[in-house]
PDB file of all heavy atoms in Angstrom:
ATOM      1  N   LEU A  22       0.824  -1.209   0.000  1.00  0.00           N
ATOM      2  CA  LEU A  22       0.000   0.000   0.000  1.00  0.00           C
ATOM      3  C   LEU A  22       0.860   1.261   0.000  1.00  0.00           C
ATOM      4  O   LEU A  22       0.383   2.345   0.345  1.00  0.00           O
ATOM      5  CB  LEU A  22      -0.937   0.004   1.219  1.00  0.00           C
ATOM      6  CG  LEU A  22      -1.942  -1.150   1.306  1.00  0.00           C
ATOM      7  CD1 LEU A  22      -2.769  -1.032   2.586  1.00  0.00           C
ATOM      8  CD2 LEU A  22      -2.860  -1.166   0.086  1.00  0.00           C
ATOM      9  N   SER A  23       2.117   1.105  -0.407  1.00  0.00           N
ATOM     10  CA  SER A  23       3.047   2.232  -0.352  1.00  0.00           C
ATOM     11  C   SER A  23       2.666   3.349  -1.317  1.00  0.00           C
ATOM     12  O   SER A  23       3.020   4.513  -1.096  1.00  0.00           O
ATOM     13  CB  SER A  23       4.469   1.752  -0.651  1.00  0.00           C
ATOM     14  OG  SER A  23       4.542   1.155  -1.942  1.00  0.00           O
ATOM     15  N   THR A  24       1.934   3.020  -2.380  1.00  0.00           N
ATOM     16  CA  THR A  24       1.538   4.046  -3.349  1.00  0.00           C
ATOM     17  C   THR A  24       0.084   4.466  -3.187  1.00  0.00           C
ATOM     18  O   THR A  24      -0.443   5.208  -4.014  1.00  0.00           O
ATOM     19  CB  THR A  24       1.772   3.551  -4.788  1.00  0.00           C
ATOM     20  OG1 THR A  24       1.019   2.342  -5.007  1.00  0.00           O
ATOM     21  CG2 THR A  24       3.252   3.274  -5.030  1.00  0.00           C
ATOM     22  N   GLY A  25      -0.558   3.978  -2.125  1.00  0.00           N
ATOM     23  CA  GLY A  25      -1.950   4.370  -1.883  1.00  0.00           C
ATOM     24  C   GLY A  25      -2.877   3.171  -1.819  1.00  0.00           C
ATOM     25  O   GLY A  25      -2.449   2.010  -1.943  1.00  0.00           O
ATOM     26  N   PRO A  26      -4.172   3.421  -1.628  1.00  0.00           N
ATOM     27  CA  PRO A  26      -5.156   2.338  -1.501  1.00  0.00           C
ATOM     28  C   PRO A  26      -5.259   1.477  -2.755  1.00  0.00           C
ATOM     29  O   PRO A  26      -4.985   1.937  -3.870  1.00  0.00           O
ATOM     30  CB  PRO A  26      -6.470   3.095  -1.253  1.00  0.00           C
ATOM     31  CG  PRO A  26      -6.068   4.421  -0.713  1.00  0.00           C
ATOM     32  CD  PRO A  26      -4.779   4.747  -1.397  1.00  0.00           C
ATOM     33  N   LEU A  27      -5.667   0.218  -2.562  1.00  0.00           N
ATOM     34  CA  LEU A  27      -6.023  -0.670  -3.666  1.00  0.00           C
ATOM     35  C   LEU A  27      -7.540  -0.618  -3.816  1.00  0.00           C
ATOM     36  O   LEU A  27      -8.272  -0.878  -2.860  1.00  0.00           O
ATOM     37  CB  LEU A  27      -5.584  -2.104  -3.381  1.00  0.00           C
ATOM     38  CG  LEU A  27      -4.077  -2.376  -3.297  1.00  0.00           C
ATOM     39  CD1 LEU A  27      -3.845  -3.849  -2.965  1.00  0.00           C
ATOM     40  CD2 LEU A  27      -3.387  -2.014  -4.605  1.00  0.00           C
ATOM     41  N   ARG A  28      -8.006  -0.293  -5.032  1.00  0.00           N
ATOM     42  CA  ARG A  28      -9.434  -0.124  -5.262  1.00  0.00           C
ATOM     43  C   ARG A  28      -9.909  -1.108  -6.325  1.00  0.00           C
ATOM     44  O   ARG A  28      -9.335  -1.186  -7.417  1.00  0.00           O
ATOM     45  CB  ARG A  28      -9.741   1.310  -5.706  1.00  0.00           C
ATOM     46  CG  ARG A  28      -9.319   2.377  -4.701  1.00  0.00           C
ATOM     47  CD  ARG A  28      -9.781   3.766  -5.145  1.00  0.00           C
ATOM     48  NE  ARG A  28      -9.367   4.782  -4.181  1.00  0.00           N
ATOM     49  CZ  ARG A  28      -8.457   5.717  -4.416  1.00  0.00           C
ATOM     50  NH1 ARG A  28      -7.849   5.761  -5.600  1.00  0.00           N
ATOM     51  NH2 ARG A  28      -8.159   6.611  -3.493  1.00  0.00           N
ATOM     52  N   TYR A  29     -10.979  -1.839  -5.996  1.00  0.00           N
ATOM     53  CA  TYR A  29     -11.575  -2.808  -6.908  1.00  0.00           C
ATOM     54  C   TYR A  29     -13.059  -2.496  -7.084  1.00  0.00           C
ATOM     55  O   TYR A  29     -13.721  -2.000  -6.163  1.00  0.00           O
ATOM     56  CB  TYR A  29     -11.423  -4.233  -6.362  1.00  0.00           C
ATOM     57  CG  TYR A  29      -9.991  -4.674  -6.176  1.00  0.00           C
ATOM     58  CD1 TYR A  29      -9.394  -4.661  -4.918  1.00  0.00           C
ATOM     59  CD2 TYR A  29      -9.226  -5.098  -7.252  1.00  0.00           C
ATOM     60  CE1 TYR A  29      -8.080  -5.060  -4.741  1.00  0.00           C
ATOM     61  CE2 TYR A  29      -7.911  -5.502  -7.087  1.00  0.00           C
ATOM     62  CZ  TYR A  29      -7.341  -5.474  -5.836  1.00  0.00           C
ATOM     63  OH  TYR A  29      -6.031  -5.870  -5.672  1.00  0.00           O
ATOM     64  N   ALA A  30     -13.571  -2.802  -8.263  1.00  0.00           N
ATOM     65  CA  ALA A  30     -15.008  -2.677  -8.532  1.00  0.00           C
ATOM     66  C   ALA A  30     -15.499  -4.020  -9.056  1.00  0.00           C
ATOM     67  O   ALA A  30     -15.117  -4.445 -10.150  1.00  0.00           O
ATOM     68  CB  ALA A  30     -15.282  -1.569  -9.545  1.00  0.00           C
ATOM     69  N   GLY A  31     -16.327  -4.685  -8.257  1.00  0.00           N
ATOM     70  CA  GLY A  31     -16.808  -6.011  -8.622  1.00  0.00           C
ATOM     71  C   GLY A  31     -18.212  -5.976  -9.191  1.00  0.00           C
ATOM     72  O   GLY A  31     -19.120  -5.400  -8.583  1.00  0.00           O
ATOM     73  N   TRP A  32     -18.403  -6.589 -10.355  1.00  0.00           N
ATOM     74  CA  TRP A  32     -19.722  -6.701 -11.000  1.00  0.00           C
ATOM     75  C   TRP A  32     -20.173  -8.147 -10.835  1.00  0.00           C
ATOM     76  O   TRP A  32     -19.512  -9.069 -11.311  1.00  0.00           O
ATOM     77  CB  TRP A  32     -19.593  -6.332 -12.469  1.00  0.00           C
ATOM     78  CG  TRP A  32     -20.869  -6.434 -13.278  1.00  0.00           C
ATOM     79  CD1 TRP A  32     -21.957  -7.210 -13.046  1.00  0.00           C
ATOM     80  CD2 TRP A  32     -21.161  -5.717 -14.489  1.00  0.00           C
ATOM     81  NE1 TRP A  32     -22.908  -7.024 -14.011  1.00  0.00           N
ATOM     82  CE2 TRP A  32     -22.450  -6.117 -14.918  1.00  0.00           C
ATOM     83  CE3 TRP A  32     -20.461  -4.785 -15.249  1.00  0.00           C
ATOM     84  CZ2 TRP A  32     -23.047  -5.610 -16.069  1.00  0.00           C
ATOM     85  CZ3 TRP A  32     -21.054  -4.281 -16.401  1.00  0.00           C
ATOM     86  CH2 TRP A  32     -22.336  -4.688 -16.812  1.00  0.00           C
ATOM     87  N   SER A  33     -21.289  -8.339 -10.179  1.00  0.00           N
ATOM     88  CA  SER A  33     -21.763  -9.707  -9.986  1.00  0.00           C
ATOM     89  C   SER A  33     -23.266  -9.735  -9.756  1.00  0.00           C
ATOM     90  O   SER A  33     -23.883  -8.727  -9.422  1.00  0.00           O
ATOM     91  CB  SER A  33     -21.068 -10.352  -8.774  1.00  0.00           C
ATOM     92  OG  SER A  33     -21.583  -9.831  -7.563  1.00  0.00           O
ATOM     93  N   SER A  34     -23.836 -10.916  -9.943  1.00  0.00           N
ATOM     94  CA  SER A  34     -25.173 -11.178  -9.418  1.00  0.00           C
ATOM     95  C   SER A  34     -25.049 -11.428  -7.925  1.00  0.00           C
ATOM     96  O   SER A  34     -24.023 -11.914  -7.441  1.00  0.00           O
ATOM     97  CB  SER A  34     -25.789 -12.398 -10.114  1.00  0.00           C
ATOM     98  OG  SER A  34     -26.054 -12.118 -11.465  1.00  0.00           O
ATOM     99  N   CYS A  35     -26.099 -11.075  -7.190  1.00  0.00           N
ATOM    100  CA  CYS A  35     -26.103 -11.197  -5.736  1.00  0.00           C
ATOM    101  C   CYS A  35     -27.375 -11.937  -5.317  1.00  0.00           C
ATOM    102  O   CYS A  35     -28.415 -11.818  -5.978  1.00  0.00           O
ATOM    103  CB  CYS A  35     -26.063  -9.821  -5.077  1.00  0.00           C
ATOM    104  SG  CYS A  35     -24.706  -8.758  -5.657  1.00  0.00           S
ATOM    105  N   PHE A  36     -27.276 -12.649  -4.192  1.00  0.00           N
ATOM    106  CA  PHE A  36     -28.385 -13.515  -3.776  1.00  0.00           C
ATOM    107  C   PHE A  36     -28.637 -13.334  -2.283  1.00  0.00           C
ATOM    108  O   PHE A  36     -27.715 -13.459  -1.476  1.00  0.00           O
ATOM    109  CB  PHE A  36     -28.045 -14.974  -4.078  1.00  0.00           C
ATOM    110  CG  PHE A  36     -27.660 -15.213  -5.515  1.00  0.00           C
ATOM    111  CD1 PHE A  36     -26.343 -15.057  -5.927  1.00  0.00           C
ATOM    112  CD2 PHE A  36     -28.619 -15.558  -6.457  1.00  0.00           C
ATOM    113  CE1 PHE A  36     -25.981 -15.257  -7.249  1.00  0.00           C
ATOM    114  CE2 PHE A  36     -28.268 -15.764  -7.784  1.00  0.00           C
ATOM    115  CZ  PHE A  36     -26.954 -15.606  -8.184  1.00  0.00           C
ATOM    116  N   ARG A  37     -29.885 -13.067  -1.925  1.00  0.00           N
ATOM    117  CA  ARG A  37     -30.239 -12.876  -0.522  1.00  0.00           C
ATOM    118  C   ARG A  37     -31.565 -13.569  -0.212  1.00  0.00           C
ATOM    119  O   ARG A  37     -32.526 -13.431  -0.970  1.00  0.00           O
ATOM    120  CB  ARG A  37     -30.335 -11.385  -0.185  1.00  0.00           C
ATOM    121  CG  ARG A  37     -29.007 -10.661  -0.357  1.00  0.00           C
ATOM    122  CD  ARG A  37     -29.060  -9.213   0.042  1.00  0.00           C
ATOM    123  NE  ARG A  37     -27.782  -8.562  -0.220  1.00  0.00           N
ATOM    124  CZ  ARG A  37     -27.530  -7.275  -0.023  1.00  0.00           C
ATOM    125  NH1 ARG A  37     -28.485  -6.489   0.467  1.00  0.00           N
ATOM    126  NH2 ARG A  37     -26.338  -6.771  -0.290  1.00  0.00           N
ATOM    127  N   ARG A  38     -31.616 -14.243   0.906  1.00  0.00           N
ATOM    128  CA  ARG A  38     -32.830 -14.954   1.298  1.00  0.00           C
ATOM    129  C   ARG A  38     -33.903 -13.994   1.800  1.00  0.00           C
ATOM    130  O   ARG A  38     -35.081 -14.327   1.802  1.00  0.00           O
ATOM    131  CB  ARG A  38     -32.514 -16.001   2.373  1.00  0.00           C
ATOM    132  CG  ARG A  38     -31.638 -17.148   1.865  1.00  0.00           C
ATOM    133  CD  ARG A  38     -31.516 -18.250   2.907  1.00  0.00           C
ATOM    134  NE  ARG A  38     -32.830 -18.835   3.171  1.00  0.00           N
ATOM    135  CZ  ARG A  38     -33.341 -19.005   4.381  1.00  0.00           C
ATOM    136  NH1 ARG A  38     -32.667 -18.606   5.444  1.00  0.00           N
ATOM    137  NH2 ARG A  38     -34.524 -19.552   4.541  1.00  0.00           N
ATOM    138  N   GLU A  39     -33.498 -12.811   2.277  1.00  0.00           N
ATOM    139  CA  GLU A  39     -34.450 -11.842   2.849  1.00  0.00           C
ATOM    140  C   GLU A  39     -35.304 -12.507   3.921  1.00  0.00           C
ATOM    141  O   GLU A  39     -36.518 -12.309   4.000  1.00  0.00           O
ATOM    142  CB  GLU A  39     -35.337 -11.238   1.746  1.00  0.00           C
ATOM    143  CG  GLU A  39     -34.568 -10.459   0.687  1.00  0.00           C
ATOM    144  CD  GLU A  39     -33.989  -9.148   1.216  1.00  0.00           C
ATOM    145  OE1 GLU A  39     -34.274  -8.794   2.377  1.00  0.00           O
ATOM    146  OE2 GLU A  39     -33.235  -8.493   0.480  1.00  0.00           O
ATOM    147  N   ALA A  40     -34.622 -13.288   4.784  1.00  0.00           N
ATOM    148  CA  ALA A  40     -35.344 -14.082   5.777  1.00  0.00           C
ATOM    149  C   ALA A  40     -36.084 -13.228   6.793  1.00  0.00           C
ATOM    150  O   ALA A  40     -37.128 -13.625   7.310  1.00  0.00           O
ATOM    151  CB  ALA A  40     -34.365 -15.011   6.502  1.00  0.00           C
ATOM    152  N   GLY A  41     -35.576 -12.035   7.073  1.00  0.00           N
ATOM    153  CA  GLY A  41     -36.219 -11.203   8.082  1.00  0.00           C
ATOM    154  C   GLY A  41     -37.172 -10.176   7.526  1.00  0.00           C
ATOM    155  O   GLY A  41     -37.576  -9.251   8.233  1.00  0.00           O
ATOM    156  N   SER A  42     -37.561 -10.323   6.258  1.00  0.00           N
ATOM    157  CA  SER A  42     -38.365  -9.277   5.608  1.00  0.00           C
ATOM    158  C   SER A  42     -39.751  -9.764   5.224  1.00  0.00           C
ATOM    159  O   SER A  42     -40.357  -9.243   4.284  1.00  0.00           O
ATOM    160  CB  SER A  42     -37.632  -8.765   4.368  1.00  0.00           C
ATOM    161  OG  SER A  42     -37.434  -9.810   3.432  1.00  0.00           O
ATOM    162  N   TYR A  43     -40.268 -10.768   5.941  1.00  0.00           N
ATOM    163  CA  TYR A  43     -41.595 -11.293   5.605  1.00  0.00           C
ATOM    164  C   TYR A  43     -42.628 -10.173   5.634  1.00  0.00           C
ATOM    165  O   TYR A  43     -42.744  -9.416   6.596  1.00  0.00           O
ATOM    166  CB  TYR A  43     -41.991 -12.392   6.588  1.00  0.00           C
ATOM    167  CG  TYR A  43     -43.350 -12.997   6.287  1.00  0.00           C
ATOM    168  CD1 TYR A  43     -43.499 -13.947   5.281  1.00  0.00           C
ATOM    169  CD2 TYR A  43     -44.474 -12.585   6.991  1.00  0.00           C
ATOM    170  CE1 TYR A  43     -44.739 -14.496   4.999  1.00  0.00           C
ATOM    171  CE2 TYR A  43     -45.721 -13.123   6.715  1.00  0.00           C
ATOM    172  CZ  TYR A  43     -45.846 -14.074   5.713  1.00  0.00           C
ATOM    173  OH  TYR A  43     -47.082 -14.610   5.437  1.00  0.00           O
ATOM    174  N   GLY A  44     -43.376 -10.041   4.540  1.00  0.00           N
ATOM    175  CA  GLY A  44     -44.423  -9.042   4.451  1.00  0.00           C
ATOM    176  C   GLY A  44     -43.962  -7.662   4.025  1.00  0.00           C
ATOM    177  O   GLY A  44     -44.781  -6.773   3.796  1.00  0.00           O
ATOM    178  N   LYS A  45     -42.628  -7.458   3.888  1.00  0.00           N
ATOM    179  CA  LYS A  45     -42.106  -6.154   3.502  1.00  0.00           C
ATOM    180  C   LYS A  45     -41.793  -6.126   2.005  1.00  0.00           C
ATOM    181  O   LYS A  45     -41.163  -7.045   1.482  1.00  0.00           O
ATOM    182  CB  LYS A  45     -40.822  -5.833   4.277  1.00  0.00           C
ATOM    183  CG  LYS A  45     -41.007  -5.730   5.786  1.00  0.00           C
ATOM    184  CD  LYS A  45     -39.665  -5.451   6.453  1.00  0.00           C
ATOM    185  CE  LYS A  45     -39.801  -5.367   7.961  1.00  0.00           C
ATOM    186  NZ  LYS A  45     -38.482  -5.146   8.617  1.00  0.00           N
ATOM    187  N   ASP A  46     -42.207  -5.063   1.333  1.00  0.00           N
ATOM    188  CA  ASP A  46     -41.846  -4.859  -0.078  1.00  0.00           C
ATOM    189  C   ASP A  46     -42.096  -6.103  -0.913  1.00  0.00           C
ATOM    190  O   ASP A  46     -41.244  -6.554  -1.689  1.00  0.00           O
ATOM    191  CB  ASP A  46     -40.375  -4.439  -0.209  1.00  0.00           C
ATOM    192  CG  ASP A  46     -40.078  -3.128   0.491  1.00  0.00           C
ATOM    193  OD1 ASP A  46     -40.834  -2.169   0.276  1.00  0.00           O
ATOM    194  OD2 ASP A  46     -39.112  -3.065   1.259  1.00  0.00           O
ATOM    195  N   THR A  47     -43.278  -6.666  -0.763  1.00  0.00           N
ATOM    196  CA  THR A  47     -43.601  -7.892  -1.498  1.00  0.00           C
ATOM    197  C   THR A  47     -43.899  -7.619  -2.971  1.00  0.00           C
ATOM    198  O   THR A  47     -43.916  -8.545  -3.776  1.00  0.00           O
ATOM    199  CB  THR A  47     -44.805  -8.598  -0.862  1.00  0.00           C
ATOM    200  OG1 THR A  47     -45.913  -7.682  -0.804  1.00  0.00           O
ATOM    201  CG2 THR A  47     -44.462  -9.068   0.543  1.00  0.00           C
ATOM    202  N   ARG A  48     -44.142  -6.367  -3.327  1.00  0.00           N
ATOM    203  CA  ARG A  48     -44.457  -6.016  -4.705  1.00  0.00           C
ATOM    204  C   ARG A  48     -43.236  -5.403  -5.374  1.00  0.00           C
ATOM    205  O   ARG A  48     -42.606  -4.484  -4.848  1.00  0.00           O
ATOM    206  CB  ARG A  48     -45.621  -5.021  -4.732  1.00  0.00           C
ATOM    207  CG  ARG A  48     -46.006  -4.525  -6.117  1.00  0.00           C
ATOM    208  CD  ARG A  48     -47.278  -3.682  -6.042  1.00  0.00           C
ATOM    209  NE  ARG A  48     -47.548  -2.943  -7.264  1.00  0.00           N
ATOM    210  CZ  ARG A  48     -48.164  -3.438  -8.326  1.00  0.00           C
ATOM    211  NH1 ARG A  48     -48.571  -4.703  -8.298  1.00  0.00           N
ATOM    212  NH2 ARG A  48     -48.388  -2.703  -9.399  1.00  0.00           N
ATOM    213  N   GLY A  49     -42.906  -5.930  -6.557  1.00  0.00           N
ATOM    214  CA  GLY A  49     -41.865  -5.291  -7.351  1.00  0.00           C
ATOM    215  C   GLY A  49     -40.459  -5.770  -7.066  1.00  0.00           C
ATOM    216  O   GLY A  49     -40.233  -6.873  -6.572  1.00  0.00           O
ATOM    217  N   ILE A  50     -39.469  -4.887  -7.345  1.00  0.00           N
ATOM    218  CA  ILE A  50     -38.063  -5.288  -7.320  1.00  0.00           C
ATOM    219  C   ILE A  50     -37.256  -4.516  -6.279  1.00  0.00           C
ATOM    220  O   ILE A  50     -36.038  -4.412  -6.388  1.00  0.00           O
ATOM    221  CB  ILE A  50     -37.422  -5.143  -8.715  1.00  0.00           C
ATOM    222  CG1 ILE A  50     -37.471  -3.687  -9.192  1.00  0.00           C
ATOM    223  CG2 ILE A  50     -38.111  -6.061  -9.725  1.00  0.00           C
ATOM    224  CD1 ILE A  50     -36.662  -3.439 -10.466  1.00  0.00           C
ATOM    225  N   ILE A  51     -37.928  -3.995  -5.269  1.00  0.00           N
ATOM    226  CA  ILE A  51     -37.181  -3.305  -4.217  1.00  0.00           C
ATOM    227  C   ILE A  51     -36.428  -4.301  -3.346  1.00  0.00           C
ATOM    228  O   ILE A  51     -35.256  -4.118  -3.019  1.00  0.00           O
ATOM    229  CB  ILE A  51     -38.128  -2.437  -3.360  1.00  0.00           C
ATOM    230  CG1 ILE A  51     -38.631  -1.241  -4.182  1.00  0.00           C
ATOM    231  CG2 ILE A  51     -37.419  -1.943  -2.100  1.00  0.00           C
ATOM    232  CD1 ILE A  51     -39.585  -0.337  -3.439  1.00  0.00           C
ATOM    233  N   ARG A  52     -37.086  -5.380  -2.957  1.00  0.00           N
ATOM    234  CA  ARG A  52     -36.472  -6.383  -2.067  1.00  0.00           C
ATOM    235  C   ARG A  52     -36.647  -7.748  -2.720  1.00  0.00           C
ATOM    236  O   ARG A  52     -37.735  -8.328  -2.681  1.00  0.00           O
ATOM    237  CB  ARG A  52     -37.137  -6.331  -0.699  1.00  0.00           C
ATOM    238  CG  ARG A  52     -36.341  -7.015   0.413  1.00  0.00           C
ATOM    239  CD  ARG A  52     -37.130  -7.004   1.717  1.00  0.00           C
ATOM    240  NE  ARG A  52     -37.392  -5.680   2.207  1.00  0.00           N
ATOM    241  CZ  ARG A  52     -36.612  -5.018   3.059  1.00  0.00           C
ATOM    242  NH1 ARG A  52     -35.524  -5.585   3.500  1.00  0.00           N
ATOM    243  NH2 ARG A  52     -36.935  -3.807   3.473  1.00  0.00           N
ATOM    244  N   VAL A  53     -35.575  -8.258  -3.325  1.00  0.00           N
ATOM    245  CA  VAL A  53     -35.667  -9.477  -4.124  1.00  0.00           C
ATOM    246  C   VAL A  53     -34.561 -10.457  -3.735  1.00  0.00           C
ATOM    247  O   VAL A  53     -33.625 -10.117  -3.012  1.00  0.00           O
ATOM    248  CB  VAL A  53     -35.572  -9.156  -5.632  1.00  0.00           C
ATOM    249  CG1 VAL A  53     -36.801  -8.392  -6.096  1.00  0.00           C
ATOM    250  CG2 VAL A  53     -34.303  -8.357  -5.947  1.00  0.00           C
ATOM    251  N   HIS A  54     -34.678 -11.674  -4.241  1.00  0.00           N
ATOM    252  CA  HIS A  54     -33.700 -12.709  -3.898  1.00  0.00           C
ATOM    253  C   HIS A  54     -32.462 -12.671  -4.794  1.00  0.00           C
ATOM    254  O   HIS A  54     -31.419 -13.212  -4.422  1.00  0.00           O
ATOM    255  CB  HIS A  54     -34.339 -14.096  -4.004  1.00  0.00           C
ATOM    256  CG  HIS A  54     -35.363 -14.362  -2.948  1.00  0.00           C
ATOM    257  ND1 HIS A  54     -35.142 -14.137  -1.611  1.00  0.00           N
ATOM    258  CD2 HIS A  54     -36.634 -14.838  -3.041  1.00  0.00           C
ATOM    259  CE1 HIS A  54     -36.217 -14.469  -0.918  1.00  0.00           C
ATOM    260  NE2 HIS A  54     -37.140 -14.893  -1.756  1.00  0.00           N
ATOM    261  N   GLN A  55     -32.580 -12.081  -5.973  1.00  0.00           N
ATOM    262  CA  GLN A  55     -31.454 -12.035  -6.920  1.00  0.00           C
ATOM    263  C   GLN A  55     -31.433 -10.679  -7.596  1.00  0.00           C
ATOM    264  O   GLN A  55     -32.471 -10.175  -8.025  1.00  0.00           O
ATOM    265  CB  GLN A  55     -31.590 -13.140  -7.966  1.00  0.00           C
ATOM    266  CG  GLN A  55     -30.479 -13.135  -9.014  1.00  0.00           C
ATOM    267  CD  GLN A  55     -30.677 -14.206 -10.082  1.00  0.00           C
ATOM    268  OE1 GLN A  55     -31.347 -15.203  -9.848  1.00  0.00           O
ATOM    269  NE2 GLN A  55     -30.096 -13.997 -11.250  1.00  0.00           N
ATOM    270  N   PHE A  56     -30.246 -10.092  -7.677  1.00  0.00           N
ATOM    271  CA  PHE A  56     -30.100  -8.799  -8.351  1.00  0.00           C
ATOM    272  C   PHE A  56     -28.655  -8.662  -8.803  1.00  0.00           C
ATOM    273  O   PHE A  56     -27.794  -9.478  -8.457  1.00  0.00           O
ATOM    274  CB  PHE A  56     -30.501  -7.645  -7.420  1.00  0.00           C
ATOM    275  CG  PHE A  56     -29.763  -7.625  -6.107  1.00  0.00           C
ATOM    276  CD1 PHE A  56     -28.621  -6.863  -5.946  1.00  0.00           C
ATOM    277  CD2 PHE A  56     -30.216  -8.376  -5.023  1.00  0.00           C
ATOM    278  CE1 PHE A  56     -27.933  -6.845  -4.732  1.00  0.00           C
ATOM    279  CE2 PHE A  56     -29.540  -8.375  -3.813  1.00  0.00           C
ATOM    280  CZ  PHE A  56     -28.396  -7.605  -3.668  1.00  0.00           C
ATOM    281  N   ASP A  57     -28.391  -7.634  -9.569  1.00  0.00           N
ATOM    282  CA  ASP A  57     -27.033  -7.383 -10.051  1.00  0.00           C
ATOM    283  C   ASP A  57     -26.517  -6.080  -9.453  1.00  0.00           C
ATOM    284  O   ASP A  57     -27.290  -5.150  -9.196  1.00  0.00           O
ATOM    285  CB  ASP A  57     -27.003  -7.326 -11.573  1.00  0.00           C
ATOM    286  CG  ASP A  57     -27.197  -8.698 -12.197  1.00  0.00           C
ATOM    287  OD1 ASP A  57     -26.234  -9.470 -12.216  1.00  0.00           O
ATOM    288  OD2 ASP A  57     -28.318  -9.003 -12.637  1.00  0.00           O
ATOM    289  N   LYS A  58     -25.206  -6.020  -9.262  1.00  0.00           N
ATOM    290  CA  LYS A  58     -24.638  -4.855  -8.592  1.00  0.00           C
ATOM    291  C   LYS A  58     -23.186  -4.668  -8.992  1.00  0.00           C
ATOM    292  O   LYS A  58     -22.462  -5.632  -9.237  1.00  0.00           O
ATOM    293  CB  LYS A  58     -24.753  -5.017  -7.073  1.00  0.00           C
ATOM    294  CG  LYS A  58     -24.235  -3.833  -6.284  1.00  0.00           C
ATOM    295  CD  LYS A  58     -24.676  -3.846  -4.834  1.00  0.00           C
ATOM    296  CE  LYS A  58     -24.056  -4.949  -4.032  1.00  0.00           C
ATOM    297  NZ  LYS A  58     -24.118  -4.656  -2.564  1.00  0.00           N
ATOM    298  N   VAL A  59     -22.770  -3.401  -9.050  1.00  0.00           N
ATOM    299  CA  VAL A  59     -21.353  -3.056  -9.119  1.00  0.00           C
ATOM    300  C   VAL A  59     -20.978  -2.497  -7.750  1.00  0.00           C
ATOM    301  O   VAL A  59     -21.558  -1.512  -7.287  1.00  0.00           O
ATOM    302  CB  VAL A  59     -21.050  -2.020 -10.221  1.00  0.00           C
ATOM    303  CG1 VAL A  59     -19.584  -1.585 -10.142  1.00  0.00           C
ATOM    304  CG2 VAL A  59     -21.351  -2.604 -11.597  1.00  0.00           C
ATOM    305  N   GLU A  60     -20.038  -3.174  -7.113  1.00  0.00           N
ATOM    306  CA  GLU A  60     -19.643  -2.830  -5.744  1.00  0.00           C
ATOM    307  C   GLU A  60     -18.196  -2.370  -5.718  1.00  0.00           C
ATOM    308  O   GLU A  60     -17.300  -3.040  -6.242  1.00  0.00           O
ATOM    309  CB  GLU A  60     -19.808  -4.060  -4.837  1.00  0.00           C
ATOM    310  CG  GLU A  60     -19.428  -3.862  -3.398  1.00  0.00           C
ATOM    311  CD  GLU A  60     -20.526  -3.232  -2.576  1.00  0.00           C
ATOM    312  OE1 GLU A  60     -21.589  -2.900  -3.157  1.00  0.00           O
ATOM    313  OE2 GLU A  60     -20.354  -3.074  -1.359  1.00  0.00           O
ATOM    314  N   ALA A  61     -17.958  -1.209  -5.110  1.00  0.00           N
ATOM    315  CA  ALA A  61     -16.597  -0.726  -4.902  1.00  0.00           C
ATOM    316  C   ALA A  61     -16.045  -1.343  -3.626  1.00  0.00           C
ATOM    317  O   ALA A  61     -16.753  -1.463  -2.618  1.00  0.00           O
ATOM    318  CB  ALA A  61     -16.595   0.791  -4.801  1.00  0.00           C
ATOM    319  N   PHE A  62     -14.775  -1.732  -3.677  1.00  0.00           N
ATOM    320  CA  PHE A  62     -14.125  -2.303  -2.488  1.00  0.00           C
ATOM    321  C   PHE A  62     -12.703  -1.763  -2.419  1.00  0.00           C
ATOM    322  O   PHE A  62     -11.986  -1.755  -3.420  1.00  0.00           O
ATOM    323  CB  PHE A  62     -14.104  -3.829  -2.549  1.00  0.00           C
ATOM    324  CG  PHE A  62     -13.778  -4.466  -1.228  1.00  0.00           C
ATOM    325  CD1 PHE A  62     -14.781  -4.795  -0.335  1.00  0.00           C
ATOM    326  CD2 PHE A  62     -12.463  -4.719  -0.871  1.00  0.00           C
ATOM    327  CE1 PHE A  62     -14.492  -5.362   0.896  1.00  0.00           C
ATOM    328  CE2 PHE A  62     -12.152  -5.285   0.351  1.00  0.00           C
ATOM    329  CZ  PHE A  62     -13.177  -5.618   1.241  1.00  0.00           C
ATOM    330  N   VAL A  63     -12.309  -1.325  -1.224  1.00  0.00           N
ATOM    331  CA  VAL A  63     -11.026  -0.645  -1.051  1.00  0.00           C
ATOM    332  C   VAL A  63     -10.243  -1.263   0.098  1.00  0.00           C
ATOM    333  O   VAL A  63     -10.795  -1.552   1.169  1.00  0.00           O
ATOM    334  CB  VAL A  63     -11.238   0.862  -0.772  1.00  0.00           C
ATOM    335  CG1 VAL A  63      -9.894   1.566  -0.556  1.00  0.00           C
ATOM    336  CG2 VAL A  63     -12.001   1.518  -1.914  1.00  0.00           C
ATOM    337  N   TYR A  64      -8.927  -1.448  -0.138  1.00  0.00           N
ATOM    338  CA  TYR A  64      -7.977  -1.779   0.918  1.00  0.00           C
ATOM    339  C   TYR A  64      -7.079  -0.559   1.131  1.00  0.00           C
ATOM    340  O   TYR A  64      -6.555   0.013   0.156  1.00  0.00           O
ATOM    341  CB  TYR A  64      -7.075  -2.944   0.511  1.00  0.00           C
ATOM    342  CG  TYR A  64      -7.768  -4.272   0.313  1.00  0.00           C
ATOM    343  CD1 TYR A  64      -8.277  -4.639  -0.938  1.00  0.00           C
ATOM    344  CD2 TYR A  64      -7.879  -5.184   1.360  1.00  0.00           C
ATOM    345  CE1 TYR A  64      -8.881  -5.871  -1.122  1.00  0.00           C
ATOM    346  CE2 TYR A  64      -8.481  -6.426   1.176  1.00  0.00           C
ATOM    347  CZ  TYR A  64      -8.986  -6.758  -0.067  1.00  0.00           C
ATOM    348  OH  TYR A  64      -9.585  -7.980  -0.252  1.00  0.00           O
TER     349      TYR A  64
END
């Protein structure tokens, strides 16, 4: 890290059970089990 932070951007599908969200946002694509995302990650 002598020249500064290491920065990565990951593009992937993501998967969540949403186990604690029963009855919440049941309509549409706000809270879903599968979605795509670009995530920044820094060391």
